[in-house]
Amino acid sequence: MPAWDIDPVHVQSTLNSTGEAAGGLEKAANSLVTNMASAAESAGTAVPGGQFSGPMIGPVAAGTPRVPVGPVAAALSKYLEERQKKLAFMAQRTIDSVQGAAKATNAYVTGDLDMAAQHQANALKATVVPPPPGVGGDGGQGPK
C-alpha cells in the first residue's frame, strides 16, 4: 500500500487552476477555427468566381455563407479536421484527469485509501472521446 500525504486544500487550488487553464485552451481552439475560416475565405479560389461548380469545402464559421474555395482553403480544412481529433482528446483527457484527482482526494479525505488508489489508477487509463451528438442513432442526444 503506498504512503499518502495529500493536502486537500492545495489539491482543490490546483484543480481550480487546471480548470481555468482548460478554459483558455477552449478559447484558443475556438479562435483557431475562426481564424482559419477567415484565412480560407481570404485565400480565394484558383478559378474565376462565376465558373466554380464543385462542392463547398473548407472551414466556415457559423452563420457565414459558404462560398467556393480554392486549394489553400482545402488544405486548411484538412489540417483542421486532423487537429479536431487531437483537441477533443486533449479536452477529454483534462476532464478525466481532473475528475480522477478530485475523486481520489475525496476518497482519501473519507479515509478509504483503497478507493483513492483505484480512482488514481482510473484517471491514468486510456482516454475515450465520446461521439458528438447525433452520431450513433441517438437522435442528437449525445452520450448518456
Side-chain angles (χ1 to χ4, degrees), residues 100-117:
K103 288 177 182 178
T105 303
N106 288 336
Y108 171 81
V109 168
T110 61
D112 191 340
L113 298 182
D114 289 332
M115 187 183 291

Side-chain angles (χ1 to χ4, degrees), residues 32-112:
L32 173 69
V33 171
T34 301
N35 290 332
M36 290 193 66
S38 176
E41 185 178 333
S42 298
T45 64
V47 297
Q51 297 178 12
F52 182 81
S53 62
M56 302 300 190
I57 56 175
V60 178
T64 303
R66 294 188 72 109
V67 295
V69 294
V72 171
L76 290 174
S77 176
K78 184 65 176 169
Y79 173 82
L80 192 56
E81 182 182 311
E82 293 297 319
R83 291 298 165 259
Q84 282 180 321
K85 296 171 192 168
K86 291 181 175 150
L87 291 171
F89 175 84
M90 286 177 16
Q92 191 62 47
R93 181 58 146 186
T94 301
I95 290 167
D96 291 349
S97 297
V98 168
Q99 288 177 344
K103 288 177 182 178
T105 303
N106 288 336
Y108 171 81
V109 168
T110 61
D112 191 340

